[in-house]
């Protein structure tokens, strides 16, 4: 036995396996996932696992390594989020999202930090040794809403698109603010004196970190799109580039202390459109599927590790500090949302209703990012208190808020996501209105959203498409693309309906309708085929095949499910052959 | 700048990126890959890279780590090979393959070992310090044909299926022999005296290592199939299990010193059939695509690293030893193939022709497995000589044999792979003959290939399918499955022909046929749509849409490409709706 040799990959594989099996386990009982969010169940599994490890070894189970979290577990989730981000609602609400993400997060950081400092001044709580800077540092890591936790809960409750993008967009974009404030306060903690220059430098950093992330992301995204121009002869590695470039954008941003999350989102959103046009349909299925799979596994691992890491002796318990942390997190977020929404609503026609405001405030879940950040803190005597408070806040938000948000959404009758996709008619009208509004804005000299969108579209079709797309001489209109997609989907549906609708023995619906007499025999044949080569059955089978084979063997160019030997029109058939040949050429 | 923090993933990503870009680069010039095999080009890139690193740093570039090779790079390639192994020719020729893999490899090991020991006795060569055991150890690592190198070359030359499976199957299954002999001789080298008991134990190990690998692989394969029974509600992680279980089988086999390659192949071949039936179509596309992608990247990295590792000061040059190694490798392989094929041909009706024999002998390429094994040798004073000899043999086989095998195949007019897939009629006849021969074998009391195949089929449908398949009450006959596949493919083809045949502006063939007058205008509309919202064009577009939209908006349940508003038969339409509803329920 040589366990040492294979230990690292073996244990990683086993952890992933455990996570996947846990996921399957939950879904075996259909009722469980509809009541409790998966994230809670996974943390629960983690707690049990941690308890077992603790019980067996009599020492704290390993905590989730912050490096592993930030370098390997977080990027797949963010990439998935960025790639499948609905770009229209995102850009329509970008102002509001940024307001929540930047001003809201700063508000929360300072609100929580200062009020916790106030609590620390109460002598009875014995917390006087926690300085203001340490409180602010703690505030900076606990204030930010976590994209992983938000996604896990909001994906299951299906609120309307705008509400979803407001909470989710905020949770993604606040990363830049968190990175800056966390690093700022951490360096302040280690400095002997703080000059006002440092504070101003900190403010300047916001823009560098955020915009730098966008720039890094976009440049990698466009490089990715450009690379996929040349993969025509080697389709099999196309999906790889999507993953490689977006991961590189994340790592590069992290290397320069920029916001990795912002970079990977910019990269994914920037490349999506061009990559999709360049790569083959199967590559695209693989990209989408694998992204979902990877993020799902990462997500599962994160929550299980969160549970495992909770168990152990890393905690220092102090009732008042921990309770007030939870309360302040809730209160300051609620206040922040109320105040900011008040200003947002003054400038918008589509206002955010008070119900929506409540869900935005209530949906501010904390997760693994805070947890990893608190472990990354430099060692000081109250670190264990911070760890305990962070753990409680995460568990409180994920369990209490996560489990009650669905009933609350039902109770308040919050507007849900529309179930059906927009019809072609609607899409055309939206597009028409876009052009119209762009025209109006242009005439009235108002440089609004539609004006910029139109300019961007123009720049895109004039320059970007020519550089990044392989077949730039064929810029397909989105209507044609939609039509193609519908037709493809429909063709597959029809093929499946023919088979799946009628059990395994009827090769197709039409076949069963026209060869009704033989198909019953086919049932017998197919079922017995597996057992023994009974000459009777074989005879029977040959007879049926002799009658059916003609049609089947004409599958090559001229076969068509809808033109049976009798009723096929020769002209249409000839056209069909022509078109297939044309395609092959 | 914080490079330390992201170094490991960043460098890994960059290497993969380099490999993928190199691959794209080769395919930009269409003529290059048709003359030189990709493996040669990649080694060449590696040599250049190694030269650059050597020139810049003035010390040897890092050699490929054997652990990384065996734990991370080799498994994806073997998994891909096992999963896409054509099982029929493999099992039809399993006897011949095993003979080549076991007896042939042992023959080569001892032949090369003893004759090199003979060379070492020549005083002029100054090699007397290389003992017989060391020569045999060297023989054991240089004798085995490498699956990665064989696959890279044989995938491009398209020889007939039987020839391909003989060379490729041998290269996979000889792993068990290589593992046993290599470890045996290595332990002998460290032992003071060798008892005859040890030699017999070594012979016994063959069976343990080989059969143990098969057993480990099959048990993981069946567990994988069983697991996918329960993934119906959570399709997105289905592909994961295929990868996880096969990787675990490899690691487990390696852990117990069994043959990991044999295990992963048994796992992949064992699970394939059941997993394919259980998982969704999209999951299956992802599995296939990702497997190909992963193995392609591994393969590329291996050859690049081979090139990089060649440069440097790890070599001790000794002309006679190195030249005779190359000669003996060629001679003993040729002799082995001749002798073994003589016996094989006496017992078979389909004999292996002398042309085929030549290609089998000539296709015995060496690759990265030898290279990794030679670096794993314990340090002794002639290790660098062995490294040099191994490198030369690999480069000679990959470059000289790899580049000349294609012209030779052309020159000898070796039977090629048939281009077209077998027709349905052929498939049915093959199946019919299988049943017939099984019956004849049963009656005549001869327990041959068909008898066992039939018994296995029986066992499979009686027990295995019931345990491993989700819908075991619907054992689809392979003919029905083929029919379904053809129909699906055809449906997609039709959908594409409608769009692709006529450029981007014609949404579908029928549409262009029936709305000929409007479609020309559509071309104009679509092309100008990107530019400006010209009211003229918009008007035009609305008119066209008003006429077309009715058909498009009925896409929901009743839309059918072949039933236009005018000629649709109401009964057929009703049936179609029924069947789609039935499916949705």
């Amino acid at each position: 036995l040589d366990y040492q040799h294979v230990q690292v990959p073996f244990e990683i594989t086993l952890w992933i396996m455990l996570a996947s099996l846990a996921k399957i386990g939950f879904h075996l009982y259909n009722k469980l996932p509809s009541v409790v969010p998966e994230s809670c169940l996974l943390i629960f599994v983690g707690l049990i696992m941690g308890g077992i490890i603790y019980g067996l070894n009599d020492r704290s189970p390993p905590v989730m390594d912050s490096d592993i979290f930030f370098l390997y577990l977080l990027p797949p989730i963010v990439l998935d989020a960025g790639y499948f981000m609905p770009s229209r609602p995102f850009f329509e609400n970008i102002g509001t999202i940024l307001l929540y993400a930047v001003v809201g997060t700063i508000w929360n950081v300072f609100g929580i930090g200062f009020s916790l400092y106030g609590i620390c001044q109460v002598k009875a709580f014995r917390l006087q040794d926690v300085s203001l800077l340490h409180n602010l540092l703690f505030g900076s890591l606990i204030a930010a809403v976590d994209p992983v936790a938000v996604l896990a809960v909001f994906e299951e409750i299906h609120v309307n698109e705008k509400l979803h993008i407001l909470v989710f967009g905020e949770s993604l974009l606040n990363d830049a603010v968190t990175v800056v404030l966390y690093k700022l306060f951490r360096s302040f903690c280690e400095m002997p004196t703080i000059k006002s220059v440092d504070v101003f430098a900190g403010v300047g950093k916001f823009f560098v970190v955020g915009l730098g992330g966008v720039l890094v992301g976009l440049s990698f995204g466009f490089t990715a799109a450009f690379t996929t121009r040349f993969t025509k002869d080697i389709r099999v590695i196309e999906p790889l580039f999507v993953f490689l470039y977006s991961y590189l954008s994340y790592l590069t941003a992290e290397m320069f202390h920029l916001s990795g999350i912002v970079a990977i989102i910019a990269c994914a959103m920037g490349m999506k459109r061009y990559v999709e046009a360049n790569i083959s349909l199967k590559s695209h299925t693989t990209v989408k599927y694998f992204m979902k799979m990877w993020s799902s596994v990462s997500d599962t691992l994160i929550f299980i590790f969160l549970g495992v890491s909770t168990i152990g002796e890393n905690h220092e318990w102090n009732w008042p500090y921990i309770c007030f942390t939870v309360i302040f997190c809730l209160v300051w977020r609620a206040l922040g949302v109320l105040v900011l929404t008040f200003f947002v609503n003054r400038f918008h026609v589509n206002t955010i209703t008070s119900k929506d405001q409540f869900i935005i405030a209530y949906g501010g879940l904390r997760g693994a990012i805070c947890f990893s950040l608190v472990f990354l803190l430099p060692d000081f005597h109250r670190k264990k208190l911070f760890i305990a408070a962070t753990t409680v806040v995460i568990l409180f938000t994920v369990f209490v808020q996560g489990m009650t948000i669905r009933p609350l959404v039902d109770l308040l009758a919050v507007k849900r996501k529309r179930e059906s996709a927009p019809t072609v008619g609607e899409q055309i009208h939206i597009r028409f209105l876009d052009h119209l509004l762009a025209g109006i804005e242009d005439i009235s000299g108002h440089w609004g959203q539609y004006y910029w969108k139109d300019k961007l579209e123009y720049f895109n079709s004039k320059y970007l498409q020519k550089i990044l797309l392989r077949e730039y001489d064929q810029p397909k209109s989105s209507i044609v693309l939609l039509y193609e997609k519908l037709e493809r989907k429909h063709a597959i549906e029809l093929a499946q309906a023919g088979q799946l609708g009628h059990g395994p023995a009827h090769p197709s619906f039409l076949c069963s309708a026209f060869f009704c007499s033989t198909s019953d025999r086919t049932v017998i044949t197919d079922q017995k085929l597996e057992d023994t080569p009974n000459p009777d059955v074989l005879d029977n089978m040959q007879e049926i095949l002799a009658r059916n084979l003609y049609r089947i063997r004409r599958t090559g160019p001229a076969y068509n499910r809808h033109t049976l030997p009798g009723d096929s029109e020769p002209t249409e058939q000839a056209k069909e052959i022509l078109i297939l040949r044309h395609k092959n050429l």
Side-chain angles (χ1 to χ4, degrees), chain A residues 242-348:
Chain A
V242 175
F243 298 108
L244 284 181
Y245 278 108
S246 35
Y247 192 43
L248 273 186
S249 77
Y250 181 83
L251 292 177
T252 310
E254 287 284 306
M255 198 158 71
F256 291 107
H257 295 291
L258 306 174
S259 166
I261 293 182
V262 171
I264 207 169
I265 285 174
C267 177
M269 292 181 84
M271 76 167 126
K272 190 187 181 189
R273 186 171 179 171
Y274 307 104
V275 166
E276 272 183 19
N278 280 337
I279 68 179
S280 78
L281 197 68
K282 277 195 179 175
S283 297
H284 193 221
T285 305
T286 306
V287 167
K288 285 194 291 185
Y289 224 85
F290 210 78
M291 226 174 242
K292 283 268 167 240
M293 189 178 95
W294 213 334
S295 75
S296 158
V297 168
S298 276
D299 179 281
T300 312
L301 282 177
I302 287 173
F303 285 114
I304 287 187
F305 281 148
L306 257 186
V308 171
S309 311
T310 304
I311 305 289
E313 288 147 3
N314 297 315
H315 305 291
E316 179 195 335
W317 201 261
N318 180 306
W319 274 105
Y321 195 83
I322 289 170
C323 289
F324 276 108
T325 307
V326 173
I327 293 167
F328 289 142
C329 279
L330 288 171
V331 170
W332 282 103
R333 179 158 178 88
L335 281 177
V337 169
L338 277 178
V339 173
L340 290 175
T341 316
F342 174 74
F343 287 107
V344 168
N345 278 348
R346 289 192 60 173
F347 295 102
H348 280 80

Side-chain angles (χ1 to χ4, degrees), chain A residues 72-226:
Chain A
Y72 305 107
L73 294 177
L74 189 58
I77 299 176
V78 182
L79 173 62
D80 174 64
Y83 197 81
F84 293 101
M85 176 90 83
S87 58
R88 199 185 165 88
F90 179 74
F91 285 113
E92 270 175 1
N93 297 298
I94 185 81
T96 318
I97 292 172
L98 279 177
L99 197 71
Y100 284 143
V102 179
V103 182
T105 306
I106 295 174
W107 163 285
N108 276 314
V109 169
F110 284 96
I112 294 170
F114 279 112
S115 37
L116 276 179
Y117 182 62
I119 295 300
C120 291
Q121 300 315 306
V122 180
K123 276 192 180 163
F125 297 158
R126 274 184 257 163
L127 287 162
Q128 281 112 317
D129 54 331
V130 186
S131 69
L132 175 63
L133 260 180
H134 276 117
N135 272 317
L136 284 172
L137 179 57
F138 180 64
S140 75
L141 67 88
I142 203 76
V145 175
D146 187 82
V148 183
V150 165
L151 204 62
V153 166
F154 273 70
E155 265 193 347
E156 294 179 7
I157 57 175
H158 306 293
V159 292
N160 65 73
E161 233 176 6
K162 187 178 174 186
L163 183 51
H164 183 257
I165 204 72
L166 285 181
V167 181
F168 182 51
E170 179 203 338
S171 72
L172 286 173
L173 298 190
N174 65 22
D175 180 58
V177 180
T178 308
V179 167
V180 172
L181 285 183
Y182 178 78
K183 286 189 177 152
L184 199 70
F185 290 131
R186 226 178 83 168
S187 59
F188 283 177
C189 282
E190 282 157 8
M191 274 186 217
T193 53
I194 302 157
K195 291 170 196 161
S196 56
V197 170
D198 296 323
V199 178
F200 283 111
V203 174
K205 264 189 188 170
F206 277 122
F207 296 96
V208 175
V209 168
L211 293 180
V214 172
L215 230 87
V216 168
L218 282 184
S219 53
F220 274 99
F222 288 139
T223 319
F226 186 69

Side-chain angles (χ1 to χ4, degrees), chain A residues 16-52:
Chain A
I16 299 176
M17 184 73 95
L18 171 81
S20 319
L21 290 179
K23 242 184 155 129
I24 289 187
F26 303 149
H27 283 267
L28 280 185
Y29 299 94
N30 280 326
K31 282 183 188 168
L32 205 59
S34 66
V35 180
V36 189
E38 213 179 78
S39 44
C40 298
L41 290 171
L42 290 170
I43 289 184
F44 196 71
V45 169
L47 287 173
I48 293 171
M49 289 283 304
I52 293 171

Side-chain angles (χ1 to χ4, degrees), chain A residues 496-516:
Chain A
Q496 282 178 338
Q499 306 146 5
L500 304 180
H502 266 242
H506 301 242
S508 94
F509 168 64
L510 282 171
C511 183
S512 76
F514 285 86
F515 291 86
C516 211

